[in-house]
C-alpha cells in the first residue's frame, strides 16, 4: 500500500501507539484480524503524517527472491532473509538449478539482515564437509556451543561465490563467514554489518 522502510507507526486505528510506552505485542494484536478486514495505520515519514488503509491477509514469508541459470553452468540464488522455510526453499531452488546443469553458484546475500540461526546452519551444512565448524556461540560464562557440518550436504564440492554488502547481517554473516573460514567460497562485496551477537 506504499509503506516504506523508516516509516514510524504512530497510530493503529484511532489508538496512539507512539510515545506512550505501548507494548509491541499489543500493537501487533491491534493490527491482526481475519483476512479481508481493514485497518488504518498512521505513520510518520519525515515531517509528514500519512494514514494507510490496509486490507488484512495472509502474508507468505518467502525468502528466495530469485533463482535462475546465468549461463550453462552457473546458477544464481538471491536470499532475502532467513525465515522458517529458508532451508526448504533453498534446497528446492538448488535442486532445480542442479537439474539444469549448475556447477557453480552465485549466492546473493546483499541486504539480507538475517533471521533464524538454525536455518543459516542448515544452509551452510549444504556446502561444508563433515567435521568443519559452521559457527559457535559463547554465553556470558564463556561456555561454547559448537555446530559442525555432518557431511551430508548436496553442494559440498560446488564452486560458490557469496555476494554481501553493508546490509548483510547476523545469519548472513554466519553463513558467509563459515564458507570463508573453511575456504569453501569466495566472498565479494562490501564490509558486512558486523552484528556479533545472537538473540534467543
Amino acid at each position: 500500500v506504499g509503506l516504506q522502510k523508516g516509516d514510524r507507526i504512530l497510530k493503529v486505528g484511532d489508538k496512539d501507539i507512539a510515545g506512550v510506552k505501548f507494548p509491541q505485542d499489543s500493537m501487533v494484536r491491534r493490527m491482526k484480524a481475519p483476512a479481508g478486514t481493514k485497518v488504518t495505520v498512521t505513520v510518520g515519514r519525515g515531517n509528514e503524517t500519512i494514514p494507510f488503509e490496509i486490507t488484512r491477509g495472509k502474508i507468505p514469508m518467502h525468502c528466495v527472491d530469485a533463482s535462475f541459470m546465468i549461463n550453462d553452468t552457473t546458477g544464481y540464488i538471491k536470499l532475502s532473509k532467513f525465515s522458517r522455510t529458508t532451508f526448504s526453499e533453498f534446497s528446492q531452488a538448488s535442486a532445480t538449478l542442479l537439474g539444469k546443469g549448475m556447477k557453480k553458484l552465485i549466492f546473493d546475500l546483499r541486504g539480507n539482515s538475517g533471521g533464524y540461526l538454525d536455518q543459516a546452519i542448515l544452509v551452510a551444512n549444504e556446502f561444508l564437509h563433515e567435521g568443519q565448524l559452521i559457527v559457535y556461540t559463547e554465553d556470558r560464562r564463556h561456555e561454547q556451543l559448537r555446530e559442525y557440518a555432518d557431511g551430508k550436504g548436496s553442494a559440498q564440492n560446488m564452486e560458490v561465490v557469496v555476494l554481501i554488502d553493508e546490509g548483510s547481517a547476523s545469519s548472513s554473516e554466519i553463513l558467509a563467514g563459515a564458507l570463508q573460514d573453511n575456504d569453501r567460497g569466495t566472498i565479494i562485496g562490501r564490509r558486512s554489518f558486523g552484528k556479533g551477537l545472537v538473540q534467543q
Side-chain angles (χ1 to χ4, degrees):
V1 295
L3 289 165
Q4 296 179 6
K5 281 185 180 179
D7 286 349
R8 294 182 305 113
I9 300 174
L10 306 176
K11 295 171 76 170
V12 178
D14 55 3
K15 181 73 173 175
D16 287 319
I17 58 139
V20 292
K21 292 190 167 66
F22 199 80
Q24 183 172 320
D25 57 345
S26 299
M27 176 187 74
V28 171
R29 275 199 298 273
R30 291 189 76 87
M31 289 186 186
K32 287 183 174 180
T37 60
K38 296 181 185 295
V39 62
T40 299
V41 175
T42 304
V43 305
R45 181 182 299 165
N47 295 322
E48 290 184 278
T49 301
I50 311 168
F52 289 94
E53 186 177 69
I54 300 169
T55 302
R56 296 177 174 103
K58 290 189 181 297
I59 304 170
M61 296 295 287
H62 297 305
C63 55
V64 173
D65 281 359
S67 65
F68 53 86
M69 294 296 291
I70 290 176
N71 56 35
D72 290 344
T73 58
T74 306
Y76 171 90
I77 296 176
K78 177 163 179 58
L79 202 62
S80 62
K81 66 179 80 65
F82 287 86
S83 66
R84 284 222 182 274
T85 60
T86 292
F87 177 65
S88 61
E89 286 187 49
F90 170 80
S91 298
Q92 188 174 356
S94 179
T96 300
L97 296 184
L98 283 167
K100 293 179 179 179
M102 176 173 67
K103 300 283 192 295
K104 307 172 187 175
L105 173 64
I106 297 171
F107 201 3
D108 193 345
L109 299 178
R110 289 174 298 178
N112 184 325
S113 59
Y116 288 97
L117 174 60
D118 65 315
Q119 298 295 302
I121 291 169
L122 288 169
V123 174
N125 186 66
E126 288 293 283
F127 297 96
L128 299 178
H129 302 299
E130 184 175 4
Q132 289 186 310
L133 179 64
I134 297 173
V135 67
Y136 72 85
T137 54
E138 184 174 288
D139 65 20
R140 68 185 71 184
R141 296 185 299 276
H142 303 293
E143 293 178 2
Q144 290 186 1
L145 176 64
R146 290 175 168 256
E147 299 281 354
Y148 294 93
D150 63 11
K152 297 177 182 176
S154 64
Q156 292 181 66
N157 299 308
M158 183 181 298
E159 190 177 335
V160 59
V161 169
V162 182
L163 306 181
I164 62 170
D165 65 9
E166 62 276 12
S168 306
S170 194
S171 293
S172 294
E173 293 175 302
I174 287 165
L175 176 54
L179 297 183
Q180 184 180 55
D181 288 354
N182 288 293
D183 292 326
R184 270 297 290 119
T186 303
I187 313 299
I188 296 176
R190 300 174 64 90
R191 186 185 299 273
S192 61
F193 186 83
K195 188 177 181 201
L197 56 84
V198 177
Q199 301 109 284
Q200 285 194 354

